Amino acid sequence: MRKSKWLQNVLLCIGGVFLFLAGIGLGWIRCRQTETAFWENILIAPEPEECVACDNLQGPRFHAPCLLELSTGELTELEIYEPCHRYSGELAPDQDMDYNVMTFGGSGLPLFIDRMEEIQRCVAYLPEKAGGEIEPFYYCRDCRAKLTKVATQGYVLLDLYDLDAIQVYPVEDSAEYPIRIYTVTMAHDEDQGHLVVTNIGHLFES
């Protein structure tokens, strides 16, 4: 009798382990299928008539670094200085140095801009878990490759000043990127639950 119960317990344990491993295997297969479908979509989705990142026949649109929301294709320039209205992507020769404003970028992203003698900066607040998965139909295949090397969801930081050499940076806590006359820093605000992205300008520094 004891041997019979012992054998039953052993068989139950073996059966439980088998079911557990089978569940893991099925979950892994489904995960792989989902991942494969995602990357297939990245590769085969039709290209747009104009890529939101690199298509601009008139030259650079943005002097300052930009935040790109991958799921919507919305670009938000972390603009500090007044743009030149004659030459796209360049700065105006004269700058108003008594300028403080709150404005909104792509997807309604709030921006706080200070342009004063002592500090020139643009600050954006990204909510936690902001943005969804990349929507490939906003981007050409070359840009999809560049973007997905860095991130597949949420936001990325772009330097679009030279459209022939677009630079892509991850948006993550404690990051710091020197980009031409700018320095972009990122820090998590635990109290507010935001990622604070700050672009500091150095136009007037020798």
Side-chain angles (χ1 to χ4, degrees):
M1 182 67 69
R2 289 182 179 178
K3 287 185 178 180
S4 177
K5 287 185 177 181
W6 177 83
L7 183 59
Q8 286 179 349
N9 290 334
V10 170
L11 291 174
L12 286 172
C13 288
I14 292 173
V17 171
F18 175 79
L19 290 174
F20 174 73
L21 293 175
I24 291 177
L26 288 173
W28 182 83
I29 291 171
R30 288 177 181 173
C31 182
R32 292 291 296 177
Q33 288 174 338
T34 301
E35 184 178 356
T36 300
F38 170 79
W39 288 109
E40 283 181 354
N41 188 41
I42 294 292
L43 291 172
I44 67 175
E47 294 184 289
E49 291 185 7
E50 291 187 2
C51 173
V52 301
C54 69
D55 278 340
N56 183 26
L57 299 178
Q58 297 178 347
R61 291 169 289 180
F62 305 108
H63 192 277
C66 299
L67 288 169
L68 171 65
E69 187 174 4
L70 293 170
S71 62
T72 64
E74 290 284 352
L75 279 166
T76 298
E77 184 181 15
L78 300 175
E79 183 181 31
I80 300 171
Y81 303 108
E82 293 181 65
C84 178
H85 299 292
R86 186 173 182 180
Y87 301 106
S88 176
E90 298 300 330
L91 301 179
D94 298 316
Q95 298 284 329
D96 178 5
M97 299 306 293
D98 187 18
Y99 183 80
N100 305 89
V101 69
M102 175 186 173
T103 185
F104 294 92
S107 300
L109 189 67
L111 301 174
F112 299 85
I113 302 172
D114 298 303
R115 187 168 66 241
M116 300 174 289
E117 294 290 345
E118 59 270 21
I119 185 70
Q120 297 112 50
R121 66 186 173 190
C122 177
V123 183
Y125 296 86
L126 300 181
E128 286 185 313
K129 300 179 181 178
E133 283 190 346
I134 185 172
E135 288 290 354
F137 53 77
Y138 290 118
Y139 316 102
C140 67
R141 289 191 175 91
D142 286 344
C143 284
R144 290 176 201 172
K146 292 177 183 178
L147 295 170
T148 54
K149 281 183 180 179
V150 172
T152 58
Q153 62 182 8
Y155 285 82
V156 293
L157 183 72
L158 298 180
D159 182 6
L160 297 174
Y161 183 71
D162 183 354
L163 294 178
D164 292 325
I166 293 173
Q167 300 297 314
V168 186
Y169 306 89
V171 171
E172 57 191 13
D173 186 25
S174 302
E176 180 174 325
Y177 306 112
I179 301 174
R180 293 177 287 108
I181 65 165
Y182 304 98
T183 301
V184 180
T185 61
M186 303 176 187
H188 183 249
D189 184 338
E190 295 183 359
D191 294 333
Q192 300 297 323
H194 290 101
L195 184 69
V196 183
V197 181
T198 304
N199 183 29
I200 302 292
H202 309 286
L203 179 61
F204 301 105
E205 296 180 12
S206 56

